[in-house]
């Protein structure tokens, strides 16, 4: 085999060497085109085909739009063919949303429920086929239930009785389903999901009715589609919702009252002690007929008075009748020549003449009529509100503008209650805020009771004491700093004065010494004595002369120089 490959490769290499460059280019182009064709063929053949959502076309445009809108809501790509078939990308998506659409009641109504689940019809001619038929339906229903996100596991048991000749003897189909929900699922408390599951199971099995379906929770063993047994739970839940609605109304009106009063009074001074609202949650229907007058002329809103013309009724027609009769009246005698049939009593009164008068009046009036049918649920009942407003606390100042203190060192305050006239105005404001209706029995109470502000006043007193203590500390500190500063200034002044006096004494001593020395030299010159000065004495004399000259210009520097000179001596 290896020799055969070597021979083939050698032949190709030999022929490749004999080809011209043009032939080589054509060969390479043919090879590239062949590879591209193979790649494209593989890519197209590996592309997944779409899967039909239902095995029958959806020809109703409204049903098809509802299904497409539901799929688009979950960003599921769906395709509609020309003949009405709806398709999705893969089998898993089709399987999942087939169950979702059935549970939400969006499956096509004209479609056979059996075709929704893509289950092949089997023959019912023998026992084995019937058993397999039953198992296939149970597995199909189980797979669809488990495809839902909130179902972890489902066990399905169907009972499909044999068909009988008479409908009265036919036993109904039944289904028993045990579900295990995911931990985060609220299926046991969501009636909408439970009803969707019942709808899904009912449409999965032909001839199955809702009352023959039992769904159990596998974790607790309780029947979750027994809505009759949940009536008490629903009643308790409704009571909770009603109480929550009443609390929301109470919070709303409390907020409205505080909003109205805190614009005038501070929030610390206003308190809603009680807010009680009664509501009738029962449904009531009222039917009434109301008659009212006819408006001939409506009121003109531009005039300050009412110029409307309203009448109690409007005459449509009127008839008056007046009849007067005098004589014996009409006495039938029968045919001519035949005696009448009147009794003897009336025959004896035939010559009596009488008078009768009849008067009548008929008036047809028109009225406006209004038929009122009102259904209320819930209806607002009696409202009871109690509001307490604190007065004002004012601090007491003395004649100098300083706060007056109590014996314990606290701030002295005076309480000023709210006047009665102002309380009545506040009550009217609260009544308007809650829509008070006396006919309904509403009651609003506004009181002026002093709030307990012991802790608040204690904090203010402590802060005042702390501020006063801080003020005294700062004042004493400033006094101490001032005393130290004054002492330092005095010390500097005294020190300078002592230094000045010492410097004067030293200068006086130097002048005396210089005078004595000059006097001695002068005396020696007068006596003819030759005074000789050593180099050191001459330097000292020059230094003294310079010191005297400098003393006049720079006294302080000279003092330092003299002090240094004395220390050397």
């Amino acid at each position: 085999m290896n020799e055969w490959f070597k021979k083939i490769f050698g032949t190709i290499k030999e022929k490749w060497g004999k080809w011209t460059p043009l032939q080589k280019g054509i060969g390479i182009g043919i090879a590239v085109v062949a590879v591209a064709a193979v790649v494209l063929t593989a890519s197209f053949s590996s592309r997944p085909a779409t899967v039909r959502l239902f095995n029958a076309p959806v020809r109703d445009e409204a049903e098809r739009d509802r299904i497409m809108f539901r799929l688009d809501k979950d960003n599921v790509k769906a395709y509609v063919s020309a003949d009405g078939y709806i398709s999705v990308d893969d089998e898993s998506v089709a399987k999942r949303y087939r169950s979702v659409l059935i549970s939400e009641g969006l499956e096509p109504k004209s479609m056979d429920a059996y075709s929704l689940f893509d289950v092949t019809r089997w023959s019912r001619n023998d026992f084995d086929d019937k058993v397999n038929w039953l198992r296939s339906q149970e597995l199909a229903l189980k797979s669809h239930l488990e495809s839902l996100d909130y179902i972890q596991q489902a066990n399905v048991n169907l009972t499909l009785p044999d068909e009988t000749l008479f409908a009265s003897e036919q036993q109904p189909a039944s289904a028993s389903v045990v579900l295990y929900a995911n931990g985060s699922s609220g299926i046991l408390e969501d009636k909408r999901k439970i009803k969707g599951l019942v709808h899904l199971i009912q449409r999965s099995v032909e001839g199955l009715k809702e009352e023959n379906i039992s769904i159990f929770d596998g974790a607790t063993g309780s029947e979750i589609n027994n809505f009759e047994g949940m009536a008490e739970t629903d009643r308790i839940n409704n009571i909770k919702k009603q109480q929550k609605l009443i609390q929301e109304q109470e919070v709303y009106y409390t907020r409205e009252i505080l909003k109205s009063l805190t614009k005038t009074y501070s929030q610390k001074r206003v308190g809603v002690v009680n807010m009680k609202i009664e509501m009738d949650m029962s449904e009531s229907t009222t039917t009434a007929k109301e008659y009212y007058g006819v408006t001939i002329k409506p009121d003109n809103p531009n005039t300050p008075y009412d110029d409307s013309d309203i009448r109690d009724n409007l005459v449509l027609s009127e008839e008056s009748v007046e009849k007067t009769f005098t004589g014996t009246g009409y006495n039938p005698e029968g045919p001519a020549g035949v005696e009448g049939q009147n009794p003897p009593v009336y025959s004896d009164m035939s010559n009596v003449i009488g008078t009768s008068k009849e008067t009548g009046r008929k008036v047809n009036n028109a009225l406006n009529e209004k038929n009122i049918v009102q259904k209320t649920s819930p209806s607002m009942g009696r409202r009871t509100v109690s509001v307490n407003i604190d007065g004002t606390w004012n601090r007491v100042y003395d004649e100098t503008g300083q706060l007056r203190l109590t014996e314990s060192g606290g701030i002295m305050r005076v309480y000023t209650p709210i006047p009665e006239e102002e309380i009545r105005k506040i009550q009217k404001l609260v009544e308007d805020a809650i829509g008070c209706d006396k006919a309904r029995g509403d009651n609003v109470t506004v009181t002026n009771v002093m709030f307990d502000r012991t802790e608040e006043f204690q904090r203010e007193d402590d802060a005042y004491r702390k501020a006063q203590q801080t003020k005294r500390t700062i004042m004493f500190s400033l006094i101490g700093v001032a005393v130290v500063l004054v002492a330092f200034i005095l010390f500097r002044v005294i020190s300078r004065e002592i230094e000045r006096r010492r410097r004067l004494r030293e200068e006086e001593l130097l002048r005396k010494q210089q005078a004595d020395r000059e006097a001695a030299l002068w005396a020696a010159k007068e006596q003819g004595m030759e005074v000789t000065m050593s180099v050191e004495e001459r330097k000292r004399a020059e230094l003294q002369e310079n010191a005297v000259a400098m003393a006049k210009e720079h006294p302080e520097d000279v003092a330092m120089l003299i002090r240094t000179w004395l220390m050397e001596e």
Side-chain angles (χ1 to χ4, degrees):
M1 182 64 68
N2 293 333
E3 294 179 357
W4 182 79
F5 277 114
K6 291 180 179 179
K7 185 177 180 181
I8 293 296
F9 288 148
T11 304
I12 293 173
K13 186 176 181 181
E14 182 180 356
K15 291 184 177 294
W16 179 262
K18 294 180 180 180
W19 284 358
T20 62
L22 179 61
Q23 291 176 339
K24 291 180 180 180
I26 294 172
I28 293 174
I30 294 173
V32 170
V33 171
V35 172
V38 171
V39 171
L40 292 175
T41 302
S43 63
F44 280 110
S45 62
S46 62
R47 180 177 296 175
T50 58
V51 179
R52 289 180 179 178
L53 189 62
F54 304 108
N55 283 342
V58 183
R59 303 191 184 280
D60 190 350
E61 186 176 354
E63 291 182 352
R64 185 167 62 246
D65 291 341
R66 286 196 297 268
I67 295 173
M68 295 298 293
F69 179 77
R70 180 63 182 85
L71 296 175
D72 185 66
K73 183 179 179 181
D74 292 348
N75 296 323
V76 177
K77 292 183 178 180
Y79 314 95
V80 181
S81 62
D83 50 358
Y85 285 96
I86 300 177
S87 303
V88 293
D89 289 338
D90 52 40
E91 181 64 29
S92 61
V93 176
K95 183 177 179 182
R96 178 168 179 256
Y97 279 93
R98 201 176 293 142
S99 300
V100 170
L101 293 174
I102 295 172
S103 65
E104 296 181 1
L106 298 177
E107 77 282 359
K109 300 296 185 295
S110 60
M111 187 178 298
D112 184 10
Y114 188 76
S115 66
L116 295 175
F117 297 95
D118 196 16
V119 179
T120 307
R121 293 185 178 272
W122 294 2
S123 175
R124 300 186 182 183
N125 293 330
D126 52 35
F127 178 76
D128 292 338
D129 290 340
K130 291 180 180 179
V131 172
N132 292 333
W133 163 263
L134 179 62
R135 291 180 61 189
S136 65
Q137 284 203 335
E138 290 177 350
L139 290 175
L141 181 57
K142 173 182 172 66
S143 63
H144 280 285
L145 290 173
E146 291 178 351
S147 65
L148 299 176
D149 294 337
Y150 47 83
I151 300 298
Q152 182 179 4
Q153 183 181 353
N155 297 327
V156 180
N157 186 12
L158 300 178
T159 301
L160 304 177
D162 296 335
E163 295 183 358
T164 59
L165 181 61
F166 300 100
S168 60
E169 298 178 357
Q170 179 66 45
Q171 297 295 325
S174 62
S176 176
V177 180
V178 180
L179 299 177
Y180 295 88
N182 291 327
S184 59
S185 174
I187 185 175
L188 301 181
E189 300 177 359
D190 193 344
K191 282 188 176 182
R192 185 178 62 85
K193 290 184 178 180
I194 297 175
K195 290 183 179 180
L197 290 174
V198 173
H199 188 196
L200 172 64
I201 297 172
Q202 182 181 0
R203 295 299 303 269
S204 301
V205 182
E206 185 178 3
L208 183 61
K209 297 182 179 180
E210 184 176 350
E211 59 267 17
N212 296 326
I213 300 174
S214 297
I215 304 176
F216 293 87
D217 179 22
T220 61
S222 59
E223 188 176 4
I224 62 177
N225 68 325
N226 184 13
F227 301 114
E228 295 180 358
M230 299 174 66
E232 182 65 20
T233 303
D234 294 340
R235 187 183 69 85
I236 295 175
N237 292 334
N238 289 333
I239 292 175
K240 291 181 179 179
K241 293 179 181 179
Q242 293 170 3
Q243 294 295 330
K244 184 178 179 180
L245 178 60
I246 293 174
Q247 291 176 1
E248 290 177 354
Q249 291 295 319
E250 291 176 351
V251 171
Y252 170 75
Y253 284 110
T254 301
R255 186 170 58 249
E256 291 298 317
I257 292 173
L258 293 176
K259 185 189 298 182
S260 300
L261 295 179
T262 51
K263 293 179 180 178
T264 307
Y265 307 96
S266 63
Q267 189 173 2
K268 294 182 179 180
R269 295 179 56 191
V270 181
V272 178
V273 180
N274 180 40
M275 170 64 71
K276 181 64 177 177
I277 297 178
E278 298 177 0
M279 297 181 68
D280 185 8
M281 298 296 177
S282 61
E283 293 186 0
S284 61
T285 304
T286 304
T287 303
K289 181 178 289 188
E290 180 181 344
Y291 296 96
Y292 55 96
V294 179
T295 302
I296 304 300
K297 177 184 177 183
D299 181 27
N300 185 4
N302 296 324
T303 59
Y305 54 88
D306 186 4
D307 60 347
S308 62
D309 184 7
I310 300 176
R311 300 181 184 179
D312 296 337
N313 53 61
L314 184 63
V315 178
L316 295 179
S317 63
E318 184 176 356
E319 181 182 359
S320 298
V321 178
E322 184 175 352
K323 294 180 181 180
T324 303
F325 176 79
T326 302
T328 59
Y330 177 72
N331 187 11
E333 294 292 342
V338 179
E339 185 179 359
Q341 300 296 321
N342 291 336
V345 177
Y346 290 102
S347 297
D348 294 340
M349 298 175 63
S350 60
N351 295 323
V352 178
I353 297 174
T355 301
S356 66
K357 186 177 182 180
E358 179 183 354
T359 302
R361 185 170 179 265
K362 183 189 296 184
V363 179
N364 294 325
N365 295 322
L367 296 175
N368 283 335
E369 180 180 342
K370 180 189 296 183
N371 294 321
I372 302 173
V373 178
Q374 185 177 7
K375 186 175 182 180
T376 57
S377 175
S379 60
M380 301 297 293
R382 184 170 180 265
R383 305 174 189 178
T384 305
V385 182
S386 298
V387 179
N388 183 37
I389 300 181
D390 192 11
T392 56
W393 288 92
N394 299 318
R395 296 182 178 183
V396 181
Y397 295 88
D398 56 13
E399 294 78 1
T400 61
Q402 299 295 326
L403 284 173
R404 297 183 63 181
L405 304 179
T406 60
E407 295 179 357
S408 60
I411 301 173
M412 184 178 294
R413 300 174 180 85
V414 176
Y415 180 76
T416 303
I418 299 177
E420 292 295 330
E421 180 64 25
E422 189 173 351
I423 290 178
R424 286 193 291 269
K425 293 180 180 179
I426 296 172
Q427 182 174 355
K428 182 65 171 62
L429 185 64
V430 175
E431 290 176 353
D432 294 341
I434 67 171
C436 181
D437 186 2
K438 297 296 183 182
R440 189 172 51 196
D442 296 350
N443 185 27
V444 176
T445 303
V446 179
T447 58
N448 176 210
V449 179
M450 185 187 304
F451 286 5
D452 183 12
R453 301 185 182 275
T454 304
E455 295 182 358
E456 180 182 354
F457 290 165
Q458 184 65 35
R459 290 194 298 270
E460 292 181 359
D461 293 344
D462 293 342
Y464 177 75
R465 294 191 188 96
K466 185 177 181 181
Q468 292 297 319
Q469 184 178 2
T470 304
K471 183 177 179 181
R472 286 193 296 268
T473 302
I474 294 173
M475 184 178 63
F476 291 152
S477 300
L478 293 176
I479 292 173
V481 171
V483 170
V484 172
L485 184 60
V486 171
F488 178 74
I489 293 173
L490 291 176
F491 174 75
R492 290 290 297 174
V493 171
I494 294 173
S495 299
R496 287 179 177 272
E497 183 64 23
I498 294 173
E499 181 69 21
R500 187 181 66 81
R501 291 182 180 184
R502 187 175 61 81
R503 188 174 62 251
L504 292 175
R505 286 197 303 269
E506 292 177 354
E507 291 178 357
E508 183 67 24
L509 179 61
L510 289 175
R511 282 195 298 270
K512 289 180 179 181
Q513 291 178 356
Q514 183 65 23
D516 294 340
R517 191 174 288 111
E518 290 179 355
L521 291 174
W522 185 261
K525 286 181 179 181
E526 289 182 351
Q527 293 177 3
M529 297 177 62
E530 184 179 357
V531 180
T532 59
M533 299 178 62
S534 63
V535 177
E536 293 180 357
E537 289 179 351
R538 190 176 291 108
K539 290 181 178 180
R540 187 185 302 273
E542 294 178 356
L543 181 61
Q544 288 178 356
E545 291 178 357
N546 293 331
V548 172
M550 291 182 61
K552 295 178 180 180
E553 297 178 0
H554 306 286
E556 295 180 358
D557 296 339
V558 174
M560 292 293 296
L561 179 60
I562 294 172
R563 190 179 298 111
T564 304
W565 180 57
L566 291 176
M567 291 176 62
E568 291 179 357
E569 290 293 333

